[in-house]
C-alpha cells in the first residue's frame, strides 16, 4: 500500500489493481467438473464476538474451563496452514477479532495474509465487525457495524477485501430489512444457517433451499434482491466428518493396519453428498467444514480434509461421479449463477424461528431489556458524537476538555449488534462486559461532544453530562442555583423536547436563547423514582420545561433559582372531575375511576374515539411439561398457559395536573408501576413503565407484558417493523410460504418489534412505539402486547448454561424503566405520525449542562422545512451573515420530517460521509410517500461541500463500481436501472431509499483543517 501523499505511477497502479482483481473473488475459484457432483468443502470457524465468554476472553483463550476457545490461536494456525498448500481455502467473518489480531502481527505475517487474500485462499465473508443479530438490531446499528468492518477490510486488502457474500450462519431468524441492506451494499449472495424447521422441511421437499429474496416492495428490483442459500447442516460438518480438536470423530486413517477407516469415511462422505444433492437443484453442493471456534489447531482439519479430497476423488477411477474440492461461498455462488436456473422468489422474512415443536426462539426478542435499552441509547449518542466530530472539525478530538474519540463508542456499538449481545443470549458476566465497553465509549464521546460544543459555542466553561436522569439524579442541577441547559438536536428538523431535571428548590426562572422567559414548573419526584435511585440523589422535585433546538444544532436555556425554601405545595386531584382524565388540544384520555386502568383515547382533532384498555400481565414460564421438556429461557419463549396472569386487578392512582404536564401515576404492585403522560402540543400518549425486580420466590419464572385491548376488528392481522424500518403484515397462526402447524399459540405468534407495532381496521389505527427492541404480538383480535421484562429460573438448553435471572445493581433482581408512545389516528394518516416519531425515539436530543451562563452561540438556521429542497428560493448563501442568537444549527434549512439525515461522519482528511434517507414506504402516506429532493451543496452551514461522490450503502465503494450478479425468477430477470448522473444540487430520494455520499468539505475560520480519521 502506498503511503498517504506518495505518488504511484499510473501504469504501476493499474497493474497493481488488475493483478489484485485477477487473483481473488470469482477469478480465484478452483476448476470444477461439469459432468460430476461438485462438493464445495468450505473450511470456516464461527467465532462469536462474546457469548459464554467476553470478547477478550475469547480472543486470548482465557477461561477455557467455560469453553475452549482462543481466537488468536485460530488465526495464527489457519494462516500457517494455508501457506503450506495453495489449494487450501478458508473463510472468515468476524472483523472485530481480525482487527485485533492484525495489530499484533509482524510485517512478514501481514504480507503473507495480504497474499492469501489477494489469491482468494483466505476469503473474507460477511465483513461486519461482528455477525449482527437480525431481530433486535436496529437498521442504523446493523448498518454501522457492517460499514465499520468493511472499511477496515478495504483499507487493509483493497478490492480483494470487499466481501461478495453475506454470511449470517448463526442468527436466530432473518430480517427482510437486513436482506435489503446487504443487497444495497453490493453483496451477490447471502448464506443463512437457521430457518424454521417446518419451513426448511417444506423447502427441502420442493428443492427450494436456495431462492431469491426481495428485500423491499418500495424500491425497484433488483435493487434489494439478494440470492439466499439455506445451508444444509446449519453451519456444521456432516455427521462423522468433524476433525477439530473439539470433535470426537476419528481421523482419516489411510495406512494399512487395524485402525484403517478411510474407505468407510469416504463412503459416508459420498452418501452424505448424494443425500444433500437430492435437496438442492444443481450439480454443486456446499458443505461447511467447521463450527464454533474450530481450527485452533488447523493442522488437524486440513490434514484430514486433504485425505478426504484425495481418496474421494480417487474413486472417480472406479466410476464415482463425485468431485470434492476446497472452495469458498463465493465460488459456490458463481457456479449456481452459471447454472442459469429460475429461482423461487421470497418477499416475507424468516421470523419467528423454531427448531422443533414448542421451541420458538421468540424469548430473545425481549431478553435483557436494560441492555437492549442501553444499546439503543448508545447508538443514538454515537450519531450525536459523530455529527459533532464532523461539524466542529478535527479540533473536537483535541479540544479544551482533553482527547476525545468517537471510535471507542463506534466499536462498542458495533460489538453490541452481535447476535449474542443485543439479542440478550449471552452469559451475565458477558452482558456486564458489553455494557462496560459501551460506558467506556460514552466517556470518550462525551469529551469529544464537550470539545465540539465548546468550539461551536465559543466557551471553555466545564460541561456536565447527567447520565442518570431517568432516575432523577444530576448533581449539578441539584446543587447549583444558576446553570445552563444545552439541548442538542441530532435530527434534520426542528425539535421540541421536554427537559426534566432534579432540583432542591421549588421555583426557577428559565429563559430561552433570546432571553425570553420559558414556562417552567417544579413537580415532586415520584415515590417509585425515589426508591429506584436510593442514595444516589436526594432532590425532592423535578424542574420541567419545554426546550427546543434547531436542526442538527443546539440551543441554550438559562435556569436560575428563585426561592430557596418556599413551602412545598404539590398539585392535587383536580376537583369536579367525575373520573380521572388527561387532556390537551390533541387527545383526551379517560380512565376507569374504580380500577385506575386506561379506558378510552379520544382524538379531538379528528373527532373520533377508541375504547383502549391497558394493563400488565405475566406469562408463567414453562419449566417443561408432558408435551415437551422445553423450558422458557434466554432464547426460547414458552409460557405454560395461553392466558397471562394480571399483575393486579386494579391500580392505585395519583393524578398530577399542571400547565406543563398532566400525569396519571398507576401503581399495580411493589414491582410494577406506570406513568401516563400528556403535555401541551403532544399528539401521542406517553407511557413510562417501571418493572422489577420481578418476584420469583414462588419458584415461578415470569415474562411480563403490557397489553392493549380494543374493539377493533383486526381479523388476526397486526403489523411489526423490520429492524426499525419497513413494516410487515403478520397474521396469527399463519406463515406466507408454508402451511404452519402451530404448537405454541402465544410464543409461535411473537415477532420482533424494533420501534413499532400496530393494529388497525379499515378506518382506525392504534400504534405503539418502543424505545428498545421487544417481542410483540396480537394474541386476540383487537389486542396488541409487548414483552417488557422477563426473569426465568431455567436454562432453555441452547448452550448458554444459565437461566436468564439478571441480578440488577443490588443483587435482588433487575429493575427496568422504559417508554411506549401510543398514537391513535386514522389508518390513512397514521404513518405521517409514526414515521417521524419513531425516528425521534431512536435519535433523541441530548441534554448537556454547564454551571453559570454557559456558551454564547453564534448562528441559527435560516429557513423552515421545505418539501422540495431543490426549489428553495431565498436560501442564505454560504457567505451571507448569520442571525445572531444563542443557538447554533449546522444546516441552512430544516429538512421535511420524511427526510432523515442518517449519517454525518468524518471520513479522512477533509471528507465527510453523508447518508440521506426517505423515511416512508411507497403508498403508506398520501403526502409522506412522495419523492423528496434536497440541494446538498447549500444544505450545511458548518462547512462548505466542494465535491461529492455517490457511494454504495456501506460507504466504502463508489456506487458506479457496484456490479452484482443477476438472477432469474418466474417473473423474469430484473435488470438494474442505469445510474443517472449525480446532481448534488438536486438529490432525489424515492420512498425507503437511502443514498450515501462521500463529500469533500472545507471548514472556515479556526476549524479549518482536516476533517476526521
Amino acid at each position: 500500500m502506498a503511503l498517504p501523499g506518495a505518488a504511484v505511477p499510473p501504469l504501476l497502479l493499474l497493474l497493481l489493481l488488475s493483478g489484485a482483481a485477477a487473483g481473488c473473488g470469482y477469478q480465484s475459484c478452483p476448476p470444477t467438473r461439469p459432468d460430476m457432483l461438485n462438493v464445495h468443502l468450505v473450511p470456516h470457524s464461527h467465532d462469536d464476538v462474546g457469548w459464554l465468554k467476553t470478547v477478550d476472553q475469547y480472543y486470548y483463550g482465557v477461561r477455557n474451563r467455560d469453553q475452549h476457545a482462543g481466537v488468536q490461536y485460530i488465526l495464527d494456525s489457519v494462516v500457517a496452514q494455508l501457506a503450506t498448500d495453495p489449494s487450501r481455502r478458508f473463510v472468515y467473518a468476524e472483523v472485530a477479532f481480525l482487527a485485533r489480531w492484525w495489530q499484533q502481527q509482524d510485517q512478514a505475517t501481514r504480507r503473507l495474509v495480504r497474499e492469501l487474500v489477494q489469491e482468494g485462499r483466505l476469503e473474507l465473508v460477511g465483513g461486519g465487525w461482528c455477525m449482527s443479530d437480525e431481530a433486535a438490531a436496529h437498521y442504523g446499528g446493523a448498518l454501522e457495524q457492517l460499514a465499520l468492518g468493511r472499511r477496515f477490510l478495504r483499507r487493509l486488502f483493497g478490492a480483494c477485501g470487499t466481501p461478495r457474500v453475506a454470511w449470517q450462519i448463526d442468527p436466530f431468524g432473518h430480517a427482510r430489512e437486513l436482506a435489503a441492506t446487504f443487497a444495497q451494499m453490493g453483496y451477490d449472495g447471502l448464506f443463512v444457517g437457521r430457518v424454521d424447521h417446518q419451513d426448511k422441511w417444506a423447502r427441502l421437499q420442493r428443492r427450494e433451499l436456495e431462492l431469491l429474496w426481495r428485500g423491499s416492495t418500495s424500491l425497484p428490483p433488483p435493487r434489494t434482491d439478494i440470492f439466499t442459500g439455506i445451508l444444509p447442516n446449519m453451519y456444521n460438518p456432516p455427521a462423522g466428518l468433524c476433525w477439530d480438536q473439539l470433535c470426537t470423530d476419528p481421523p482419516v486413517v489411510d495406512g494399512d493396519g487395524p485402525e484403517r477407516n478411510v474407505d468407510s469415511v469416504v463412503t459416508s462422505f459420498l452418501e452424505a453428498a448424494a443425500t444433500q444433492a437430492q435437496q438442492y437443484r444443481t450439480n454443486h453442493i456446499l458443505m461447511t467444514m467447521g463450527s464454533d471456534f474450530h481450527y485452533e489447531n488447523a493442522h488437524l482439519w486440513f490434514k484430514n480434509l486433504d485425505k478426504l479430497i484425495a481418496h474421494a476423488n480417487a474413486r472417480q477411477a472406479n466410476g464415482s461421479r463425485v468431485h470434492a474440492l476446497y472452495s469458498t461461498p463465493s465460488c459456490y455462488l458463481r457456479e449456481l449463477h452459471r447454472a442459469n436456473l429460475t429461482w423461487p422468489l421470497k418477499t416475507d422474512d424468516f421470523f419467528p424461528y423454531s427448531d422443533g415443536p414448542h421451541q420458538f426462539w421468540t424469548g430473545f426478542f425481549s431478553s435483557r431489556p436494560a441492555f437492549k435499552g442501553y444499546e439503543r441509547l448508545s447508538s443514538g449518542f454515537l450519531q450525536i458524537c459523530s455529527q459533532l466530530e464532523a461539524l466542529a472539525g478535527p479540533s473536537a478530538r483535541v479540544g479544551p476538555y482533553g482527547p476525545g474519540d468517537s471510535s471507542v463508542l463506534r466499536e462498542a456499538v458495533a460489538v453490541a449488534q452481535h447476535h449474542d449481545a443485543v439479542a440478550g443470549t449471552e452469559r451475565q458476566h458477558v452482558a456486564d462486559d458489553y455494557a462496560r465497553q459501551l460506558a467506556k465509549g460514552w466517556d470518550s464521546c462525551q469529551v469529544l461532544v464537550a470539545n465540539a460544543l465548546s468550539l461551536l459555542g465559543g466557551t471553555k466553561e466545564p460541561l456536565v453530562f447527567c447520565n442518570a436522569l431517568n432516575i432523577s439524579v444530576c448533581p449539578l442541577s441539584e446543587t447549583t442555583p444558576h446553570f445552563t441547559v444545552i439541548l442538542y438536536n441530532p435530527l434534520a428538523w426542528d425539535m421540541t423536547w421536554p427537559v426534566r431535571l432534579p432540583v432542591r428548590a421549588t421555583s426557577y426562572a428559565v429563559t430561552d436563547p433570546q432571553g425570553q422567559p420559558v414556562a417552567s414548573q417544579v413537580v415532586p419526584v415520584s415515590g417509585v423514582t425515589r426508591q429506584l435511585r436510593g442514595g444516589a440523589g436526594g432532590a425532592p422535585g423535578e424542574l420541567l420545561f419545554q426546550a427546543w433546538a434547531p436542526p442538527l444544532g443546539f440551543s441554550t436555556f438559562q435556569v436560575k433559582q428563585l426561592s430557596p425554601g418556599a413551602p412545598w405545595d404539590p398539585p392535587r386531584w383536580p376537583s369536579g372531575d367525575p373520573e380521572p382524565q388527561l387532556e390537551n388540544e390533541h387527545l383526551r384520555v379517560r380512565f376507569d375511576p374504580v380500577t385506575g386502568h386506561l379506558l378510552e383515547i379520544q382524538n379531538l382533532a379528528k373527532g373520533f374515539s377508541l375504547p383502549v384498555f391497558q394493563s400488565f400481565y405475566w406469562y408463567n414460564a414453562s419449566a417443561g411439561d408432558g408435551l415437551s421438556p422445553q423450558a422458557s429461557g434466554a432464547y426460547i419463549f414458552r409460557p405454560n398457559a395461553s392466558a397471562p396472569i394480571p399483575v393486579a386487578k386494579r391500580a392505585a392512582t395519583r393524578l398530577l395536573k399542571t400547565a406543563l404536564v398532566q400525569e396519571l401515576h398507576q401503581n399495580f404492585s411493589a414491582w410494577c408501576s406506570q406513568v401516563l403522560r400528556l403535555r401541551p402540543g403532544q399528539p401521542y400518549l406517553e407511557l413510562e413503565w417501571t418493572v422489577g425486580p420481578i418476584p420469583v420466590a414462588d419458584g415461578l419464572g415470569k415474562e411480563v407484558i403490557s397489553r392493549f385491548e380494543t374493539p377493533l376488528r383486526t381479523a388476526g392481522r397486526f403489523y411489526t417493523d423490520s429492524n426499525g424500518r419497513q413494516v410487515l403484515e403478520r397474521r396469527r397462526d399463519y406463515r406466507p410460504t408454508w402451511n404452519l402447524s402451530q404448537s405454541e399459540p402465544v410464543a409461535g405468534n411473537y415477532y420482533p418489534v424494533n420501534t413499532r407495532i400496530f393494529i388497525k381496521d379499515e378506518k382506525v389505527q392504534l400504534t405503539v412505539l418502543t424505545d428498545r427492541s421487544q417481542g410483540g404480538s396480537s394474541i386476540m383480535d383487537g389486542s396488541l402486547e409487548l414483552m417488557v421484562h422477563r426473569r426465568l429460573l431455567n436454562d432453555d438448553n441452547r448452550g448458554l448454561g444459565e437461566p436468564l435471572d439478571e441480578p440488577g445493581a443490588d443483587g435482588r433482581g433487575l429493575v427496568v424503566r422504559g417508554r411506549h408512545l401510543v398514537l391513535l389516528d386514522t389508518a390513512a394518516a397514521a404513518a405521517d405520525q409514526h414515521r417521524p416519531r419513531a425516528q425521534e425515539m431512536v435519535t433523541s436530543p441530548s441534554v448537556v449542562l454547564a454551571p453559570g451562563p454557559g456558551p454564547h452561540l453564534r448562528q441559527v438556521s435560516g429557513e423552515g422545512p421545505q418539501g422540495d429542497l431543490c426549489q428553495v428560493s431565498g436560501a442564505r448563501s454560504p457567505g451571507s451573515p448569520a442571525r445572531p442568537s444563542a443557538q447554533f444549527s449546522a444546516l441552512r434549512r430544516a429538512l421535511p420530517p420524511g427526510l432523515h439525515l442518517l449519517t454525518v461522519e468524518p471520513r479522512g482528511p477533509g471528507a465527510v460521509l453523508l447518508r440521506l434517507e426517505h423515511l416512508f414506504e411507497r403508498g403508506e402516506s398520501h403526502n409522506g410517500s412522495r419523492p423528496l429532493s434536497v440541494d446538498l451543496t447549500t444544505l450545511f452551514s458548518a462547512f462548505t461541500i466542494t465535491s461529492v461522490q455517490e457511494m454504495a450503502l456501506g460507504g466504502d465503494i463508489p456506487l458506479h463500481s457496484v456490479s452484482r450478479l443477476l438472477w432469474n425468477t418466474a417473473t423474469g430477470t430484473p435488470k438494474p436501472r442505469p445510474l443517472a448522473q449525480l446532481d448534488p444540487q438536486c438529490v432525489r430520494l424515492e420512498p425507503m431509499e437511502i443514498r450515501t455520499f462521500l463529500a469533500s468539505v472545507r471548514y472556515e475560520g479556526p476549524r479549518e483543517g482536516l476533517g476526521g480519521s
Side-chain angles (χ1 to χ4, degrees), residues 178-252:
L178 262 288
T181 298
F182 288 128
Q184 292 173 88
M185 281 191 171
Y187 291 86
D188 280 325
L190 162 66
F191 288 94
V192 301
R194 298 182 187 270
V195 299
D196 186 280
H197 70 286
Q198 292 184 44
D199 187 9
K200 189 170 184 180
W201 177 252
R203 290 183 177 281
L204 191 145
Q205 306 305 309
R206 303 192 303 263
R207 300 176 85 183
E208 291 187 354
L209 290 167
E210 292 166 329
L211 54 117
L212 190 68
W213 192 0
R214 183 150 293 160
S216 171
T217 53
S218 291
L219 297 170
R223 191 146 167 210
T224 62
D225 294 356
I226 190 159
F227 185 90
T228 303
I230 299 167
L231 298 170
N233 305 306
M234 206 163 71
Y235 55 85
N236 300 308
L241 305 179
C242 188
W243 295 304
D244 195 75
Q245 64 186 19
L246 299 174
C247 303
T248 56
D249 294 340
V252 180

Side-chain angles (χ1 to χ4, degrees), residues 521-524 568-574 654-658 661:
Q521 172 121 33
V522 176
V523 299
W568 190 256
D569 185 24
R572 294 182 179 83
W573 280 82
R654 184 171 67 85
L655 189 67
L656 174 77
K657 279 197 175 183
T658 76
V661 70

Side-chain angles (χ1 to χ4, degrees), residues 155-458:
R155 194 165 67 241
L156 257 55
F157 306 116
C160 288
T162 301
R164 303 294 308 192
V165 166
W167 190 245
Q168 293 288 101
I169 57 175
D170 195 28
F172 327 127
H174 301 282
R176 189 168 80 170
E177 181 60 35
L178 262 288
T181 298
F182 288 128
Q184 292 173 88
M185 281 191 171
Y187 291 86
D188 280 325
L190 162 66
F191 288 94
V192 301
R194 298 182 187 270
V195 299
D196 186 280
H197 70 286
Q198 292 184 44
D199 187 9
K200 189 170 184 180
W201 177 252
R203 290 183 177 281
L204 191 145
Q205 306 305 309
R206 303 192 303 263
R207 300 176 85 183
E208 291 187 354
L209 290 167
E210 292 166 329
L211 54 117
L212 190 68
W213 192 0
R214 183 150 293 160
S216 171
T217 53
S218 291
L219 297 170
R223 191 146 167 210
T224 62
D225 294 356
I226 190 159
F227 185 90
T228 303
I230 299 167
L231 298 170
N233 305 306
M234 206 163 71
Y235 55 85
N236 300 308
L241 305 179
C242 188
W243 295 304
D244 195 75
Q245 64 186 19
L246 299 174
C247 303
T248 56
D249 294 340
V252 180
V253 182
D254 53 358
D256 293 329
E259 299 300 328
R260 179 182 171 90
N261 66 357
V262 63
D263 302 316
S264 61
V265 169
V266 169
T267 298
S268 172
F269 166 72
L270 294 175
E271 288 172 352
T275 300
Q276 188 176 325
Q278 291 171 3
Q279 301 163 5
Y280 290 82
R281 299 182 57 202
T282 73
N283 64 322
H284 294 267
I285 59 172
L286 184 153
M287 289 185 180
T288 43
M289 306 308 281
S291 192
D292 291 0
F293 299 98
H294 278 202
Y295 288 81
E296 193 171 305
N297 182 352
H299 182 60
L300 295 177
W301 256 118
F302 281 118
K303 185 161 189 171
N304 284 282
L305 284 171
D306 289 345
K307 290 183 179 183
L308 177 70
I309 291 169
H311 287 286
N313 291 348
R315 290 211 186 173
Q316 293 167 11
N318 298 324
S320 169
R321 310 304 295 158
V322 174
H323 177 63
L325 65 152
Y326 280 117
S327 189
T328 65
S330 64
C331 290
Y332 173 68
L333 189 69
R334 183 185 74 152
E335 297 296 342
L336 298 187
H337 186 256
R338 283 178 165 177
N340 201 29
L341 300 181
T342 296
W343 301 95
L345 185 68
K346 180 180 177 68
T347 56
D348 60 323
D349 65 1
F350 287 102
F351 287 116
Y353 164 60
S354 72
D355 55 1
H358 308 287
Q359 297 168 189
F360 283 93
W361 297 46
T362 54
F364 82 94
F365 300 163
S366 311
S367 295
R368 301 197 184 279
F371 183 72
K372 280 179 164 66
Y374 191 29
E375 179 278 326
R376 184 66 54 85
L377 277 175
S378 301
S379 292
F381 190 61
L382 174 60
Q383 293 310 309
I384 290 174
C385 182
S386 182
Q387 286 178 7
L388 282 167
E389 186 177 13
L391 300 178
S395 306
R397 294 196 295 280
V398 290
Y401 303 103
D405 188 359
S406 64
S407 69
V408 185
L409 185 58
R410 193 177 306 285
E411 290 180 15
V413 167
V415 165
Q417 307 309 310
H418 169 58
H419 60 271
D420 289 306
V422 69
T425 53
E426 67 274 31
R427 284 193 176 166
Q428 184 62 49
H429 81 280
V430 180
D432 296 342
D433 187 67
Y434 288 138
R436 178 194 64 80
Q437 292 181 58
L438 288 173
K440 188 178 171 189
W442 276 75
D443 289 345
S444 190
C445 257
Q446 284 179 343
V447 173
L448 191 148
V449 167
N451 286 339
L453 293 175
S454 161
L455 287 160
L456 296 169

Side-chain angles (χ1 to χ4, degrees), residues 481-558:
H482 178 199
F483 58 91
T484 301
V485 175
I486 305 164
L487 183 73
Y488 180 80
N489 171 21
L491 293 160
W493 54 82
D494 293 279
M495 271 291 286
T496 300
W497 193 253
V499 172
R500 198 174 184 108
L501 298 169
V503 291
R504 292 188 180 273
T506 56
S507 65
Y508 289 79
V510 180
T511 53
D512 72 8
Q514 283 75 36
Q516 297 301 307
V518 175
S520 66
Q521 172 121 33
V522 176
V523 299
V525 174
S526 74
V528 174
T529 298
R530 285 201 306 271
Q531 188 178 347
L532 265 182
R533 73 186 177 190
E542 290 178 316
L543 171 68
L544 314 183
F545 67 93
Q546 288 286 91
W548 58 91
L552 228 66
F554 51 97
S555 301
T556 59
F557 296 80
Q558 301 293 319

